[in-house]
Amino acid sequence: MHHHIFFMVILLSFNVLIQSRVEPKRNSFTIDLIHPDSILSPFYNRSITPSELIRKAGMRSLNRVNYYFNSSRHANPEENIESPVIHDGADYLAEIYVSPTLKQKVYAVIGTGSELIWIQCKPCKNYNDEDVALYEPRNSETYKALSDSDKICQDLEFTKSAGRSKKCKYRYSYEKNAFTVGILSTETFYFKPTTKGKPISFPKLVFGCSHINNVKLISSKVQGVIGLGLGSGKLSFVSQLGDRTEHRFSYCLVPLSENTAASKLSFGHEEKISDARVSTSFVFKDDKPYYYLSLEGITVGFYKKVRIEEEHRNIIIDSGTPMTVLHSSIYDPLERALIKVIGLSPKKIDPTGPFTLCYDTWRNLSYPNLVFHFPKADVHLKRENTYIRYLDYTCVTIIRYDGISIFGNSAQINFQVEYDLIEKQVSFTPTDCTKFGIKV
């Protein structure tokens, strides 16, 4: 997410220092991604119906795109200090461990729309969940608070404050008065791979040790954020790993209805090569951490193509937005094309809900597949990517919005989506993600 991070001092040579802190040894590993609404999640709520979950996902998508849109509207650079808050719209979590001394388990939001890594630390002034043990840095042998003379602190904007503290203090501001405040620090982070083997450690990882925050997370038991965003800085997890994982990461998302397999997040290069793989380049629109692509058109069924005006082609690909959201200039002709190809009048349901194109599920309809056309990459979406059962209807999982567009995670289900920060591109490979990593 775009942001301005305020530290106590400005520093130089940040990139060189980061590379020296993380061992440049090539490696690849895969971890589980946890969807909070999945039956595999520790936060799974059995009392919520499938339709309620879908409605919530649609409303979260609208909230998410509002955050992105507000942060993309540039004001005076000195005033532009807010960005989308990481809240209960962030859809995937990971289980991580902090400190070989403490072996502290932390659930953290994983997101391609944010950059900073941070976790809640003791003492945390506004954290009241006594059932959750917070990470206590003073008890860890590998924790180090960075000082205001450390080179890492000299590359970032700062705000002087009173006091004699020599620690590198930060304030990470989000939209709508959300923020996290703490000490920029280093610590050893561990990830448990999905395959058998020892946890993979990352010593001296730079992160924010948060002592005050006003950020709404999915649950009080979620204690931090692992940012995978692009941006102009070098604070994101993938940026810090650098050569160790060849500046690559990918994920493979299973349908929410799947209750026997978890989604996967991989770092490093995947050896598997498929003729079905297609790649398209990032669009470098600004210095925000978002991954922009250029959407040239959408084909409905076998023949009906929606062309997109050049001024509305930029679309954010985001793992944390449930549904795909399209600017009204794209959505309106797409909806007309879908109605024409399906050949029946849609039903008006739930006027306060996010879905506007729905049909009776009892009808024997042939729902057309969609193809999203990016430069050099045609991404063929299947029914599971585009339609969903909601109440007693089947609805199109694309939402109309009079702002920016987002390629949501529902459209990315059963694709291996790989981000290559060296080649500056994203690749899509159709994959049965329930069998991802299983040798057959």
Side-chain angles (χ1 to χ4, degrees):
M1 298 180 178
H2 182 51
H3 50 262
H4 286 263
I5 310 174
F6 294 90
F7 295 88
M8 297 309 296
V9 265
I10 304 179
L11 42 83
L12 304 170
S13 306
F14 182 47
N15 189 29
V16 174
L17 183 59
I18 282 291
Q19 291 178 353
S20 69
R21 290 181 179 277
V22 180
E23 180 186 358
K25 179 181 177 182
R26 291 188 176 182
N27 198 2
S28 61
F29 65 99
T30 299
I31 63 174
D32 286 341
L33 279 181
I34 305 168
H35 193 293
D37 292 333
S38 164
I39 195 171
L40 302 177
S41 167
F43 312 114
Y44 177 65
N45 186 344
R46 297 179 182 275
S47 66
I48 299 180
T49 68
S51 290
E52 288 174 327
L53 288 176
I54 291 167
R55 192 180 194 279
K56 283 178 59 180
M59 299 309 294
R60 290 202 307 267
S61 301
L62 286 173
N63 289 337
R64 185 88 162 174
V65 74
N66 272 319
Y67 295 142
Y68 279 127
F69 181 57
N70 289 334
S71 74
S72 69
R73 299 168 70 180
H74 283 289
N76 185 314
E78 295 182 356
E79 298 174 354
N80 189 23
I81 61 173
E82 296 182 346
S83 69
V85 60
I86 298 169
H87 61 111
D88 58 351
D91 262 21
Y92 289 93
L93 308 171
E95 183 181 292
I96 63 175
Y97 292 82
V98 184
S99 170
T101 308
L102 303 177
K103 298 181 177 61
Q104 183 84 43
K105 182 168 75 171
V106 173
Y107 287 106
V109 171
I110 298 288
T112 55
S114 59
E115 193 170 10
L116 180 69
I117 302 167
W118 64 269
I119 62 171
Q120 293 176 339
C121 298
K122 278 189 176 181
C124 191
K125 293 185 178 179
N126 56 338
Y127 191 80
N128 299 315
D129 193 334
E130 297 180 355
D131 295 331
V132 177
L134 293 183
Y135 166 75
E136 189 160 3
R138 67 180 180 178
N139 293 338
S140 173
E141 296 177 359
T142 48
Y143 171 81
K144 179 185 176 183
L146 297 177
S147 72
D148 60 10
S149 60
D150 198 309
K151 290 183 179 179
I152 234 177
C153 269
Q154 297 174 9
D155 196 40
L156 301 164
E157 298 179 13
F158 73 98
T159 299
K160 279 286 183 180
S161 64
R164 297 182 178 180
S165 174
K166 297 298 183 182
K167 294 179 181 179
C168 182
K169 297 182 179 179
Y170 75 88
R171 178 184 175 92
Y172 192 103
S173 297
Y174 299 101
E175 185 189 328
K176 296 192 175 180
N177 299 318
F179 60 85
T180 168
V181 174
I183 307 298
L184 197 67
S185 311
T186 63
E187 176 61 282
T188 298
F189 281 59
Y190 291 84
F191 291 83
K192 285 187 176 180
T194 53
T195 56
K196 292 182 179 179
K198 295 181 179 180
I200 300 171
S201 66
F202 298 94
K204 298 182 180 179
L205 200 71
V206 179
F207 77 106
C209 192
S210 176
H211 294 290
I212 305 173
N213 71 75
N214 182 33
V215 179
K216 182 183 178 184
L217 296 168
I218 298 165
S219 161
S220 61
K221 294 178 175 58
V222 178
Q223 299 173 39
V225 175
I226 303 295
L228 301 178
L230 188 61
S232 58
K234 301 294 181 181
L235 286 172
S236 78
F237 185 66
V238 66
S239 297
Q240 292 197 50
L241 298 192
D243 291 341
R244 182 169 178 175
T245 53
E246 300 183 0
H247 300 267
R248 296 170 185 257
F249 71 93
S250 63
Y251 48 77
C252 205
L253 307 179
V254 302
L256 187 57
S257 59
E258 175 58 50
N259 57 17
T260 60
S263 297
K264 307 297 180 185
L265 173 65
S266 301
F267 294 91
H269 181 58
E270 291 293 327
E271 298 296 334
K272 295 182 294 182
I273 299 175
S274 170
D275 292 338
R277 180 184 181 188
V278 294
S279 302
T280 189
S281 298
F282 301 138
V283 175
F284 292 92
K285 185 173 181 290
D286 45 45
D287 63 351
K288 302 183 185 68
Y290 316 147
Y291 294 94
Y292 287 97
L293 304 179
S294 178
L295 179 61
E296 297 180 328
I298 304 173
T299 296
V300 181
F302 295 103
Y303 64 93
K304 194 73 176 177
K305 186 170 184 178
V306 175
R307 300 191 182 276
I308 299 171
E309 300 171 1
E310 188 169 352
E311 63 181 302
H312 297 304
R313 287 182 179 178
N314 287 337
I315 183 170
I316 297 170
I317 178 171
D318 183 34
S319 62
T321 302
M323 307 299 177
T324 292
V325 181
L326 295 179
H327 186 274
S328 54
S329 67
I330 306 172
Y331 179 88
D332 291 344
L334 174 63
E335 183 182 85
R336 290 193 295 269
L338 280 165
I339 292 172
K340 183 174 181 180
V341 173
I342 292 173
L344 293 171
S345 297
K347 298 292 183 179
K348 299 293 184 181
I349 65 169
D350 192 10
T352 62
F355 306 114
T356 59
L357 189 56
C358 299
Y359 290 88
D360 288 325
T361 53
W362 58 266
R363 291 184 180 272
N364 187 20
L365 300 179
S366 177
Y367 295 100
N369 291 333
L370 302 182
V371 182
F372 275 58
H373 301 284
F374 302 101
K376 300 182 180 180
D378 293 339
V379 179
H380 293 256
L381 304 186
K382 298 182 179 179
R383 181 168 179 171
E384 63 195 9
N385 302 114
T386 314
Y387 306 95
I388 201 164
R389 178 72 178 265
Y390 177 57
L391 301 175
D392 293 324
Y393 302 89
T394 295
C395 296
V396 175
T397 58
I398 299 176
I399 299 173
R400 184 183 189 274
Y401 184 74
D402 286 323
I404 60 174
S405 298
I406 296 180
F407 195 63
N409 62 48
S410 61
Q412 302 173 58
I413 289 172
N414 280 338
F415 284 93
Q416 182 184 347
V417 184
E418 183 182 66
Y419 296 71
D420 187 331
L421 274 61
I422 297 297
E423 297 296 328
K424 297 177 174 58
Q425 67 180 19
V426 62
S427 302
F428 301 87
T429 306
T431 306
D432 183 350
C433 292
T434 62
K435 298 178 181 178
F436 184 78
I438 299 177
K439 294 182 179 180
V440 294

